[in-house]
């Protein structure tokens, strides 16, 4: 009986990342509907999984690390969207709300209380600052942390905004970090969903908003699903 009950409980697909992962209500270019979808919505549907959307607009790679350490997770599969290397978060005195007044993002899931704000490393001026190496260090270190946190679990990752693994670091320790990243479950490490979206205007939310709409998500998810099957992740 217990075995049968377990079979009837739908496994979860945990979606973590930034606004590109979070999704929106744009079915096509300049067309908003009441239904919020993300790329993970389609991947969950393909594999008979229940989507749990823990992504949020403005999130950085360090946001994913923090949530993996602080949110409650049951057994499931992790879909990790790796955001722009320039982003990092700091503790804030105000509570952050992720449903915004922007109509395309106004119907997405709410997250647990969050008191973190996002800044960019390229907005900061340190003495003797090597910004490009800092962005790479921040990204590679946190990607490794994610992989260590998910060791023994089913997961896959992809870039949301830019091809993070394109960068060739000069600092020897940053190089060592990059060399340790396992790309077996890393979809197109030198490419991103945002870059894919830019290949076709019809994949975008609106003329003035280059986030991926539902048509673009579906097209990207179809290719991603083939890779997932090839890797035998699900």
């Amino acid at each position: 009986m217990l075995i049968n009950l377990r079979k009837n409980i739908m496994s979860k697909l945990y979606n973590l990342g930034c606004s590109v992962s979070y999704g929106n209500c744009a079915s096509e270019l300049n067309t908003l509907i009441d239904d919020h979808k993300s790329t993970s919505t389609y991947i969950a549907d393909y594999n008979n999984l229940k989507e749990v959307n823990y992504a949020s607009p403005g999130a950085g790679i360090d946001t994913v690390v923090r949530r993996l350490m602080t949110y409650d997770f049951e057994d499931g599969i992790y879909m990790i969207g790796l955001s722009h290397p320039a982003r990092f978060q700091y503790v804030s005195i105000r509570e952050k709300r992720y449903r915004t007044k922007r109509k395309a993002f106004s119907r997405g899931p709410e997250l647990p209380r969050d008191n973190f704000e996002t800044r960019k490393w390229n907005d900061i001026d340190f003495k003797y600052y090597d910004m490009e190496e800092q962005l790479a260090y921040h990204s590679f270190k946190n990607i490794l942390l994610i992989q260590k946190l998910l060791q023994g679990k089913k997961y896959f990752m992809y870039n949301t905004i830019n091809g993070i693994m394109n960068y060739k670091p000069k600092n020897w320790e940053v190089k060592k970090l990059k060399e340790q990243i396992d790309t077996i479950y890393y979809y197109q490490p030198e490419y991103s969903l945002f870059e894919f979206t830019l290949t076709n205007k019809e994949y975008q939310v609106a003329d003035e908003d280059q986030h991926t709409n539902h048509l673009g998500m579906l097209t990207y998810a179809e290719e991603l699903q083939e890779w997932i099957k090839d890797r035998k992740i699900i």
Side-chain angles (χ1 to χ4, degrees):
M1 176 65 73
L2 182 59
I3 293 173
N4 289 335
L5 284 172
R6 283 177 177 168
K7 283 183 178 178
N8 291 330
I9 297 173
M10 187 176 285
S11 295
K12 293 180 170 62
L13 177 68
Y14 292 105
N15 175 34
L16 294 100
C18 62
S19 59
V20 178
S21 300
Y22 182 69
N24 53 65
C25 299
S27 60
E28 299 175 343
L29 180 68
N30 298 320
T31 305
L32 298 183
I33 60 175
D34 291 335
D35 196 10
H36 179 101
K37 291 185 178 181
S38 67
T39 305
S40 62
T41 305
Y42 296 102
I43 298 298
D45 288 346
Y46 290 150
N47 297 283
N48 195 32
L49 300 169
K50 180 181 179 181
E51 179 193 19
V52 180
N53 195 339
Y54 285 157
S56 60
I61 302 177
D62 58 341
T63 312
V64 173
V65 172
R66 186 182 81 245
R67 288 177 180 164
L68 287 173
M69 292 178 173
T70 59
Y71 282 22
D72 293 325
F73 296 93
E74 300 172 5
D75 288 340
I77 297 159
Y78 297 79
M79 180 171 174
I80 307 296
L82 301 171
S83 188
H84 198 285
R87 292 180 179 175
F88 71 93
Q89 290 202 311
Y90 63 93
V91 182
S92 172
I93 59 173
R94 70 170 184 169
E95 184 177 343
K96 184 82 171 177
R97 309 307 295 173
Y98 288 106
R99 277 185 174 175
T100 70
K101 292 181 180 179
R102 293 171 62 189
K103 289 185 179 180
F105 300 90
S106 62
R107 295 184 179 274
E110 279 286 8
L111 295 175
R113 188 175 64 190
D114 192 314
N115 289 81
F116 287 81
E117 297 281 349
T118 301
R119 286 287 303 275
K120 292 183 178 180
W121 289 108
N122 45 342
D123 291 337
I124 299 174
D125 185 21
F126 294 122
K127 192 173 184 180
Y128 310 126
Y129 183 33
D130 189 332
M131 186 185 70
E132 286 191 345
E133 291 294 294
Q134 171 60 31
L135 299 189
Y137 167 66
H138 178 73
S139 298
F140 300 151
K141 176 189 69 176
N142 282 299
I143 291 171
L144 275 175
L145 278 171
I146 291 169
Q147 292 187 335
K148 290 184 183 300
L149 286 167
L150 295 178
Q151 198 164 29
K153 302 180 186 297
K154 291 185 176 182
Y155 78 92
F156 59 96
M157 51 179 55
Y158 66 103
N159 298 316
T160 59
I161 299 177
N162 68 332
I164 294 172
M165 296 294 281
N166 270 321
Y167 183 73
K168 295 177 173 56
K170 301 180 290 292
N171 181 289
W172 73 269
E173 288 183 283
V174 180
K175 283 182 182 178
K176 290 284 285 187
L177 290 172
K178 183 181 180 182
E179 289 166 1
Q180 293 177 67
I181 293 173
D182 187 350
T183 58
I184 293 176
Y185 302 121
Y186 191 162
Y187 181 62
Q188 297 182 332
E190 298 182 352
Y191 194 56
S192 69
L193 175 50
F194 178 67
E195 290 169 295
F196 169 81
T197 305
L198 294 182
T199 64
N200 189 336
K201 180 76 173 179
E202 296 302 314
Y203 293 162
Q204 299 175 23
V205 166
D207 292 327
E208 68 285 357
D209 189 335
Q210 294 178 323
H211 282 86
T212 317
N213 64 28
H214 297 180
L215 174 62
M217 293 174 197
L218 173 61
T219 308
Y220 183 82
E222 288 173 344
E223 297 178 8
L224 176 57
Q225 174 65 14
E226 289 303 311
W227 175 85
I228 290 170
K229 285 166 59 179
D230 182 63
R231 288 290 191 277
K232 297 181 172 58
I233 297 169
I234 299 175

